[in-house]
């Protein structure tokens, strides 16, 4: 399973490596929302939460739809600019339908749920579907989606103001701290691209990013089957310190392909017992269960959501979830009429960092 980016006929100069303040802020916000994905940053996240004004903390929780289970595509810019303010100005230039469509995208299994045509702003069926998906995520997410659909301009202004407040509260200081590391990585990548070509530059990004033998396609090893093209636009690669271990890829129709990659690998895991490893390896050996884990790594999901995302029957999904629960990899909690399954990230981490990195890519 891979994401394939067609670059046939693309000049090497259209492959770009650049740092993005907005993309790194988005990575930080994801860390704050899903600290379990980033145990090495738990101390930083705890310090940030402790220092936030209550109003800003509440704003982050209400808008986490944009960066928790998946990043809205406009938060990972194809044309990185030197400052956060400039990149936010670019986001302001996006029309409401494009913004709302990207904001309501939810990563579920092999499919990202898009509302490209018709738009949920103008079509009742698309609107109902968007709200159903948001409701399954939780009350905050449902409320955010309702506000966004009712008054896009007001929500957009509030989101920008929230991001600007984040800059003052913690981002500016953190950005200064990682700027040298990002600049060093970019010098390496751009030097390799100039001296040795695309294949060498991609090899330095990640072992999960390769160039096809014919040179016409970039292959990103992720648990999904997707394809996009860079014709006329190019591909942008954005390094991230706070994004590890995620390999974020923008590939939606109408968006220029972008890959945000970690500049450092996650630290090794601690040893676990052979009995535990054996039980859990048996649980994750099935390809369907591995796909379910990928989805659950991005947040709690219901059986119905998982079935829809992977085009399976609810009984089949239930059987696989039962195996994962017996292995201690999942927990289940009822919220009203929904039963949401949650991945036990520490246990998956103990099973192996390679598996964790593959699931979280």
């Amino acid at each position: 399973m891979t994401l394939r980016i067609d670059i046939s006929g693309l000049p090497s100069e259209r492959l770009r490596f650049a740092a993005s303040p907005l993309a790194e802020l988005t990575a930080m916000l994801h860390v704050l929302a899903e600290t379990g994905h980033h145990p090495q940053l738990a101390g930083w996240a705890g310090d940030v939460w402790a220092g936030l004004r209550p109003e800003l903390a509440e704003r982050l929780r209400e808008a986490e739809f944009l960066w928790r289970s998946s990043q809205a595509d406009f938060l990972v810019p194809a044309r990185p600019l030197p400052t956060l303010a400039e990149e936010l100005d670019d986001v302001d230039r996006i029309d409401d339908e494009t913004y709302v469509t990207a904001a309501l995208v939810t990563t579920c299994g092999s499919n990202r749920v898009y509302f490209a045509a018709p738009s949920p702003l103008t079509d009742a069926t698309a609107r109902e579907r968007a709200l159903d998906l948001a409701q399954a995520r939780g009350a905050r997410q449902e409320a955010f989606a309702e506000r966004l659909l009712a008054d896009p301009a007001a929500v957009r202004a509030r989101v920008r103001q929230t991001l600007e407040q984040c800059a003052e509260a913690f981002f500016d200081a953190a950005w200064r701290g990682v700027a040298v590391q990002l600049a060093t990585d970019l010098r390496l990548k751009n030097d390799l691209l100039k001296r040795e070509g695309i294949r060498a530059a991609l090899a330095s990004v990640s072992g999960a990013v390769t160039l096809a033998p014919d040179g016409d396609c970039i292959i990103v090893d992720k648990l999904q089957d997707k394809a996009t093209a860079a014709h006329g636009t190019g591909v942008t690669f954005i390094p991230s310190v706070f994004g590890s271990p995620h390999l974020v890829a923008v590939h939606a129709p109408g968006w220029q392909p972008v890959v945000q990659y970690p500049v450092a690998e996650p630290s090794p895991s601690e040893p676990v017992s052979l009995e535990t490893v054996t039980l859990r390896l048996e649980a994750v050996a099935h390809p369907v269960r591995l796909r379910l884990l990928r989805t659950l790594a991005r947040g709690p999901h219901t059986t119905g959501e998982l079935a829809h995302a992977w085009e399976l029957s609810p009984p089949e999904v239930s059987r696989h979830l039962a195996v994962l629960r017996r292995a201690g990899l999942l927990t289940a909690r009822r919220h009203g009429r929904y039963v949401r399954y949650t991945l036990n990230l520490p246990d998956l981490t103990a099973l192996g960092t390679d598996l964790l990195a593959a699931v979280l890519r």
Side-chain angles (χ1 to χ4, degrees), residues 19-307:
S20 164
L22 179 56
E24 193 68 358
L25 172 55
T26 302
M28 293 179 192
L29 291 171
H30 175 74
V31 170
L32 293 175
E34 283 286 10
T35 307
H37 290 187
H38 311 270
Q40 75 279 13
L41 293 171
W44 174 86
D47 289 343
V48 170
W49 278 119
L52 288 182
R53 291 180 292 105
E55 178 192 0
L56 180 54
E58 180 59 27
R59 280 172 171 256
L60 293 185
R61 294 186 182 99
E62 75 178 26
E64 67 176 15
F65 201 103
L66 297 175
W67 50 72
R68 183 169 195 135
S69 63
S70 61
Q71 288 74 36
D73 289 339
F74 55 75
L75 295 177
V76 189
R79 297 188 311 110
L81 295 169
T83 68
L84 179 63
E86 290 174 289
E87 291 186 322
L88 291 176
D89 287 344
D90 258 7
V91 173
D92 286 344
R93 297 184 185 100
I94 299 173
D95 63 82
D96 281 349
E97 288 197 359
T98 301
Y99 186 101
V100 170
T101 297
L104 294 180
V105 164
T106 303
T107 297
C108 289
S110 62
N111 299 310
R112 298 185 86 194
V113 183
Y114 297 104
F115 304 95
S119 165
L121 283 177
T122 57
D123 182 81
T125 301
R127 175 188 173 88
E128 182 178 357
R129 174 63 177 147
L131 291 175
D132 282 346
L133 287 170
Q135 184 183 49
R137 299 268 62 75
R140 289 181 184 273
Q141 292 84 347
E142 181 183 13
F144 177 82
E146 288 177 342
R147 289 194 301 271
L148 181 62
L149 290 169
D151 193 348
V155 173
R156 293 180 64 164
R158 184 172 175 84
V159 168
R160 172 163 184 158
Q161 186 182 53
T162 298
L163 297 178
E164 290 171 338
Q165 290 178 6
C166 287
E168 181 180 349
F170 63 86
F171 173 73
D172 288 346
W175 178 250
R176 288 192 296 269
V178 302
V180 173
Q181 190 173 352
L182 295 176
T184 300
D185 182 82
L186 288 173
R187 283 195 296 272
L188 169 65
K189 301 297 189 293
N190 285 307
D191 183 57
L192 282 171
L193 182 62
K194 181 179 179 180
R195 291 187 299 103
E196 301 183 35
I198 293 177
R199 193 177 301 277
L202 294 179
S204 71
V205 168
S206 167
V209 181
T210 58
L211 188 66
D214 60 8
D216 285 345
C217 184
I218 295 173
I219 301 172
V220 184
D221 183 21
K222 291 173 70 73
L223 283 168
Q224 56 186 243
D225 290 306
K226 291 294 179 182
T228 188
H231 303 152
T233 59
V235 185
T236 301
F237 286 84
I238 299 174
S240 173
V241 171
F242 281 80
S244 179
H246 299 302
L247 194 62
V248 176
V250 174
H251 55 81
W255 293 86
Q256 177 177 329
V258 181
V259 176
Q260 184 186 34
Y261 63 91
V263 298
E265 292 298 318
S267 58
S269 62
E270 296 183 0
V272 295
S273 70
L274 178 59
E275 181 181 1
T276 299
V277 171
T278 301
L279 179 64
R280 291 175 178 168
L281 283 177
E282 290 173 352
V284 302
H286 198 289
V288 171
R289 292 197 283 272
L290 193 60
R291 294 172 184 175
L292 296 179
L293 284 176
R294 180 184 186 275
T295 302
L296 291 165
R298 282 147 178 81
H301 287 75
T302 66
T303 299
E305 286 181 285
L306 295 168

Side-chain angles (χ1 to χ4, degrees), residues 4-26:
R4 302 177 69 86
I5 305 174
D6 186 350
I7 59 168
S8 55
L10 190 74
S12 60
E13 60 267 21
R14 302 302 292 274
L15 190 84
R16 182 183 185 191
F17 288 89
S20 164
L22 179 56
E24 193 68 358
L25 172 55
T26 302

Side-chain angles (χ1 to χ4, degrees), residues 342-358:
T342 302
L343 176 63
N344 295 331
L345 271 170
D347 294 328
L348 189 66
T349 302
L351 188 57
T353 54
D354 287 343
L355 173 61
L356 178 66

